[in-house]
Amino acid sequence: MKNIKLAMPNFKEARMRLKEVPTIEYEMKDEYKKLGIGKTYHVFTYGCQGNEADSEVISGILEQMGYKRGDDPYTCDVVLLNTCAIRENAENRIWGVLGNLKGAKRENPDMLIGICGCMPQEENATKRLLETYSFVDLIFGTHNINSLPKLIYQAYLSKAKVVEVISGEGSILEHAPKIRESHHKAWVNIMYGCDEFCTYCIVPYTRGKERSRSKDEIIAEVKELVLNGYKEVTLLGQNVNAYGKDLGSDYTFGDLLYDLDKTGIERIRYTTSHPRDLDMKTIMAMAECKSVMPQLHLPVQSGDNEILKKMNRKYTYEEYMQKIEALKKAVPGISITTDIIVGFPNETEEQFQNTLKLVRNVGYEGAFTFIYSKREGTPAAKMEDSISDEEKRDRLHRLNELVNAGYLKGNQRFLNKEVLVLVDGESKNGEGMMCGYSEHLKLTHFKSNDLSLIGKIVKVRVTEAKTWFLIGELCE
Ligand code: SAH
Ligand code: SF4
Ligand code: F3S
């Protein structure tokens, strides 16, 4: 198959932070609007909430082109994989799914297979896709989702593989159509990209420069969600606490929380926060705004100052603990969760012990824990690493034991108490059970088969507290 290469990824350009970023007003040309009529699509989504939000836009664009969501992903006319590059095992899953799709394409040669998201933004991944996965028709990245109709059109027209991966600062796409997955909870992007350049992390290269949406656009989006019956928004960004810095105004993330609280939305959550940029205004907003939920994901990565420095996290154990204390004081009962990496290059047992100490001192009620994964092109990839894989797995195991005890303790404090649950739907936990999340983001199952409760906030009395969830009874 011949290739049409409109642009290839380039890590040097991806590192650049020079230009102003444009805001692009979404529009679709009429000639693309009928391309998908009578055809089906499926989008596989991997990685973070940013990717989930992008997939909602991708689905919106495809439906505007006339495509309908298919029942079986492996028999659809267009199949897209929205990929994640954060760790090697995230990428390995995707190579695996691609293997399955190869068989599906043999059965149905007209199937259009596309790869998008963070993986194509890496030079090596795109090279491998081109060399080894010749059945992939379409490759595009995180910066050009709005080119999707054009790229599909070209792939149909020329029967060639189409590659367009743009590196660099990126842009802000406004007013693109979205097919939201939920009718009561919504993702709302408030900013894109990341300028932190933690030494282990690929995201600043795959997502471009930090760029904030205008506050008016964000507030208007949340107001519209309220009108449409939405109860909860999760504000998204790789570092939401840096909101507004790139706009050069004094309006910060804390100000945005106060303004969004006035829209009438019942619940506001946000992710992810960088500890260095979490300021008092944000903490005060969490304390004072009724809609901002008493829960925070505050990734720490390590409890050792030397490792934190090598990671370029720009805070110390002591500074992190000060913010935790301030949060606990301002928002009594707040549930704090985190992300932790073990086995960063040459991490000693003593340094790992400092992480365990921090986990004990904070009293996390949950954590995503990872073994460090080398990402080509990042500064940490060049660091010497003499710790064996076995030792890293052992550290992860010891850390997880502590973290899991924190999950359980965090749930036990709600035993025999009433919690407010936004109902998501039927529970996979057994017949006649429904579930949702409490204000502190605790998954809660309760006995009911009343589907009209979906999207409503109900009061549940907790009767059992397990490690991963609560069980309770509906209060009349
Ligand atoms: N922007 C967010 C996190 C994005 S990535 C933040 O800074 O909090 C989610 C998590 O993946 C990170 O918090 C980190 O714990 C983990 N992670 C990122 N790069 C990694 C790598 N190379 N190896 C292992 N874990 C990694
Ligand atoms: Fe990656 Fe650090 Fe940015 Fe988070 S803040 S996305 S870990 S570079
Ligand atoms: Fe993965 Fe990209 Fe998100 S690398 S974690 S999908 S920003």
Side-chain angles (χ1 to χ4, degrees), residues 85-367:
I86 200 82
R87 285 169 293 274
E88 196 181 356
N89 55 8
E91 295 198 339
N92 285 343
R93 274 176 74 193
I94 287 150
W95 299 124
V97 177
L98 272 176
N100 298 340
L101 280 171
K102 188 177 183 179
K105 177 122 180 175
R106 217 178 287 128
E107 300 278 304
N108 172 13
D110 289 333
M111 175 188 270
L112 203 66
I113 298 178
I115 309 284
C116 59
C118 285
M119 254 168 97
Q121 297 289 152
E122 292 177 280
E123 291 172 25
N124 285 342
T126 295
K127 248 189 237 154
R128 181 166 165 192
L129 278 168
L130 287 172
E131 281 161 13
T132 322
Y133 296 84
S134 57
F135 58 93
V136 171
D137 304 284
L138 200 62
I139 304 175
F140 62 102
T142 56
H143 295 315
N144 52 338
I145 288 176
N146 58 327
S147 302
L148 180 58
K150 174 190 84 181
L151 301 177
I152 290 183
Y153 179 75
Q154 280 171 339
Y156 279 140
L157 199 73
S158 60
K159 302 249 180 294
K161 187 196 296 270
V162 179
V163 188
E164 183 177 275
V165 186
I166 296 161
S167 298
E169 283 90 349
S171 53
I172 295 177
L173 181 63
E174 286 295 356
H175 306 131
K178 281 186 195 123
I179 304 292
R180 296 196 191 262
E181 288 299 321
S182 162
H183 296 293
H184 55 273
K185 296 199 292 200
W187 308 120
V188 176
N189 273 308
I190 63 163
M191 61 186 303
Y192 303 93
C194 182
D195 284 351
E196 292 294 333
F197 287 96
C198 302
T199 54
Y200 50 82
C201 185
I202 196 84
V203 172
Y205 308 86
T206 64
R207 292 277 171 174
K209 172 177 161 143
E210 258 171 30
R211 47 209 196 274
S212 304
R213 285 179 73 196
S214 94
K215 77 179 202 333
D216 296 339
E217 291 286 359
I218 299 167
I219 294 168
E221 183 174 344
V222 174
K223 280 186 176 161
E224 197 185 322
L225 286 165
V226 173
L227 282 178
N228 289 324
Y230 279 79
K231 296 279 164 44
E232 180 175 306
V233 293
T234 302
L235 310 177
L236 294 183
Q238 291 300 340
N239 174 12
V240 291
N241 299 108
Y243 175 79
K245 289 192 176 167
D246 57 307
L247 299 176
S249 79
D250 297 337
Y251 190 91
T252 62
F253 181 64
D255 295 310
L256 184 65
L257 286 179
Y258 279 105
D259 279 344
L260 292 177
D261 186 51
K262 293 181 208 135
T263 58
I265 190 80
E266 295 201 41
R267 291 180 163 196
I268 299 174
R269 304 185 193 275
Y270 59 92
T271 196
T272 307
S273 279
H274 190 291
R276 188 198 50 169
D277 293 324
L278 176 72
D279 58 7
M280 267 326 280
K281 186 135 199 195
T282 302
I283 296 177
M284 285 325 292
M286 291 194 77
E288 291 175 0
C289 300
K290 197 171 163 279
S291 61
V292 181
M293 291 292 104
Q295 156 267 319
L296 183 64
H297 189 66
L298 193 62
V300 70
Q301 315 301 355
S302 166
D304 183 80
N305 283 341
E306 208 172 312
I307 294 286
L308 285 170
K309 194 150 189 227
K310 279 193 180 172
M311 287 178 162
N312 192 30
R313 289 291 289 182
K314 306 177 201 106
Y315 54 82
T316 61
Y317 174 101
E318 292 75 20
E319 284 161 352
Y320 185 86
M321 284 311 294
Q322 275 168 13
K323 299 219 169 163
I324 295 288
E325 292 312 324
L327 277 162
K328 285 183 175 173
K329 202 166 147 212
V331 188
I334 188 172
S335 172
I336 300 170
T337 54
T338 198
D339 289 349
I340 296 169
I341 297 176
V342 301
F344 188 76
N346 274 354
E347 180 193 58
T348 64
E349 173 64 25
E350 197 189 335
Q351 290 171 328
F352 171 65
Q353 287 294 338
N354 285 337
T355 297
L356 295 183
K357 185 175 99 189
L358 173 120
V359 172
R360 277 188 215 103
N361 286 350
V362 175
Y364 290 116
E365 298 195 348

